Each structure stands twice: as structure tokens, then as C-alpha cells.
Amino acid sequence: MAHQRRPRPRLSSSSYAQDTAPSNHQAPAGLDPDSWSALLAPRLAQFAGVARHEHVTRAAQDMNVPQSTLSRAMVRLEQDLGVALFARKGRTVSLTPAGRAFLTSVEGALAEVERAAESVRADADPASGKVAFGFLHTMGSETVPELIRAFRADHPRVRFQLVQNYGEAMLERLRAGELDLCLTSPVPEAPDLVARRLDEQRLRLVVPDDHRLAGRRRIRLAEAADETFVTLEPGYGLRRITDDLCTEAGFRPRVAFEGEEAETLRGLVAAGLGVALLPPPAVARPGVVELSVTAPRAVREVGVAWLDGHPDTPPVAAFKRFLLSRRGHLLPD
């Protein structure tokens, strides 16, 4: 059975929204205008202030609002809830049992809002803020650590939330607001994203060291048409590039194994389970030979992407400028 929200009293024409102007009650963006959150959120801090002072005038002075406005707001709050929160004696008030129970939850909610505000402010701090940065697995062992080391030479306190994933998954997290920037390949073309090419990386045909081609230094990709390939899974940028290069060379690769990480594929090649088109490794792996591909031109472009129209915090803007300044020098030779 679908859950139905319990109906609640609607704001009257003389409600809090009218007391404090603007003239129309509007829910904050994203809140159901009929929800308790939309109704009560503007009043909770005022309620907590009155409860803390147990005196309307002193609370009004502390919050820099007219005493009459604050009094009306508390009356409307009680009317909308249908519960007496205060026992009144002149301008002195004390909490009823319902008011005390309500205050406990209100103080917790306000503290959570305070923590959230401090957190986003800290993340945006120019000197010590946070950058949520995504990148491909193949860039995790050498490229990204070196980039961050170089950037932190001038921004030593900036923090990074690092996410390794394949290209499409990172772009989805970018769209969801979970990442500020990502290094990916191929460089995406999408109307909601901004992408800049930074560098290109040559791909090599990796074969077992006892393979018939292992004595070669260079190869045309068409010469591997009869080989069994090991590749990344569909959806990975390198898999798309592999399929496109093989098509350009005149064949469709016979795929025996699919994986999620380039070094795993190198291990499969070393075990004699196939050949693979891969970027150069950070550290040479025994058991394989890496051949330069002369035709077609086997490279992958690497770029940085971000959400179009998404405002940058100062640390994100600084790191974006840094990445763009490395155009043509992003990847090790």
C-alpha cells in the first residue's frame, strides 16, 4: 500500500510568512510546499532562541527582530502544529512538555544545518578546500600522483577526494555532482559537458614473450587479425578505441577475455591467453613484449571534463587552471 502523508493545517492569510514579509508563503527550492519542512524551517531558529532565553523580548533583541514579529511567529507556529509549546506569563515563557520534546529535535536539526554549512564553506576555502577528482585506472600509479604533487607545491593544504573508474562511470558521477573534474579518454563530446584535450598516449600491441611476433619491434595492426584478444569490458573508453582501431585495420577482434583493469590484461597476456592494445605501463612487466603499432595510428586522447555551467569553488578553479596548463605535458614520455 502506498504511504500517504498525514494532512496538516494550511497556513492562514495572517501566518508567519505574512508576519515577516514576503507576502506569499513559498517553499524553499526542492521542498514540497505542503510539507512540514517547508512550513517550519524558517521558524525553527526563532523557536530555539525563545526557548533558550525563556523571554520573548530578550530573544528578539538577540536575533535582531521586532518583538511583535517574534511573538506572532511563535503563536502561528503553535497554531500550525496544533500544540502548545510555551506556557506564558507576560513576556516570560517556559516550555511545555511538548515544547521540550520539540526543542530536542529542533536543536539536533539546527546543529546538522550548522555542520552542513561549515562543511561546504570549508570545502570551498581557497587555501584548504576540497577537489573531487576522477581519473582512469591506468593513470593512478604514476600520472595522477605526480600531478597532485606538482599542484600541492603551490597549494599545500588543498584536499583531494580521488575516484578511479572507467570513463562512462566517471561522467555519470560528474553529472550527478559527485565529481568536480575528471581525466578521461576518449575526450567526451556531450552538450552538458565541457571537455579539453590535454595529451595523447601511444598504445602498444602487447604479446607474450614467447609469441611468434615477440621478436618484432613494430607491427601493423592488421598482422594481428588472426590473434585472440584480451580487452577491457564494453563501456570502457579503451575498449571502444580497441574496437575502432581493429575496424580501421580491417578486422573485428576475437575477444577471449574481458577485464576491468589494464594491468590484469597484461597478466593475461603474460599467461599466453591473448594479445592486447594497451597504454605503456608505469613499470615494465616480465613475460610480455610491447610492440609499436605503425598503422593505423594507435593513440588515445586524454582530456579533462567538467559539467557545463557548474560554478567552481576556488580550489577547483585553481586545479582546473593547473591541469589546462599541462596541455601537451600531462603524461610521461
Side-chain angles (χ1 to χ4, degrees), residues 44-249:
L44 297 184
Q46 292 182 324
F47 166 74
V50 173
R52 181 172 63 251
H53 286 281
E54 295 188 333
H55 195 283
V56 177
T57 301
R58 286 199 294 269
Q61 291 170 345
D62 186 43
M63 289 182 279
N64 198 29
V65 298
Q67 181 270 326
S68 58
T69 297
L70 189 57
S71 294
R72 286 195 301 270
M74 294 302 97
V75 170
R76 299 306 175 195
L77 176 60
E78 291 176 309
Q79 288 177 347
D80 286 326
L81 287 173
V83 176
L85 301 175
F86 298 103
R88 292 170 173 81
K89 187 175 181 181
R91 291 197 176 112
T92 300
V93 296
S94 60
L95 288 169
T96 65
R100 194 164 300 283
F102 189 53
L103 177 64
T104 299
S105 295
V106 166
E107 288 179 331
L110 293 175
E112 188 61 32
V113 170
E114 185 76 12
R115 283 191 291 271
E118 290 301 321
S119 176
V120 297
R121 285 172 58 83
D123 287 347
D125 184 271
S128 60
K130 184 182 74 175
V131 179
F133 182 46
F135 53 93
L136 301 170
H137 288 283
T138 51
M139 298 180 181
S141 61
E142 186 174 358
T143 301
V144 168
E146 172 57 26
L147 284 173
I148 294 176
R149 183 202 65 77
F151 176 74
R152 282 171 62 94
D154 294 323
H155 303 82
R157 294 170 55 208
V158 168
R159 296 170 288 122
F160 282 84
Q161 176 189 344
L162 300 177
V163 174
Q164 290 178 272
N165 216 322
Y166 66 98
E168 288 301 320
M170 283 194 298
L171 297 183
E172 288 308 306
R173 295 187 70 166
L174 202 63
R175 291 183 172 104
E178 298 173 12
L179 291 176
D180 298 309
L181 303 164
C182 67
L183 281 182
T184 188
S185 177
V187 180
E189 294 182 8
D192 60 334
L193 300 176
V194 179
R196 296 287 184 268
R197 179 187 178 277
L198 296 179
D199 213 339
E200 66 178 30
Q201 189 173 45
R202 290 193 174 275
L203 302 179
R204 300 168 179 174
L205 185 70
V206 184
V207 302
D209 61 5
D210 59 355
H211 192 272
R212 65 180 179 86
L213 298 171
R216 302 272 296 274
R217 296 182 60 188
R218 298 177 179 84
I219 188 173
R220 291 179 295 108
L221 189 56
E223 297 178 71
D226 295 331
E227 298 293 333
T228 297
F229 277 73
V230 296
T231 70
L232 296 178
E233 295 176 350
Y236 284 70
L238 189 56
R239 171 61 180 271
R240 191 190 324 164
I241 293 169
T242 296
D243 290 345
D244 289 347
L245 286 172
C246 290
T247 298
E248 189 176 348

Side-chain angles (χ1 to χ4, degrees), residues 242-316:
T242 296
D243 290 345
D244 289 347
L245 286 172
C246 290
T247 298
E248 189 176 348
F251 69 95
R252 182 176 180 179
R254 291 186 298 114
V255 177
F257 297 93
E258 296 175 332
E260 297 182 344
E261 203 273 324
E263 287 311 302
T264 299
L265 298 188
R266 270 194 177 80
L268 294 174
V269 172
L273 299 176
V275 302
L277 277 170
L278 295 174
V283 178
R285 179 169 188 135
V288 300
V289 174
E290 309 215 357
L291 310 178
S292 296
V293 178
T294 58
R297 188 168 182 267
V299 298
R300 67 169 179 174
E301 290 188 338
V302 178
V304 59
W306 60 88
L307 199 60
D308 190 21
H310 188 82
D312 293 331
T313 63
V316 171

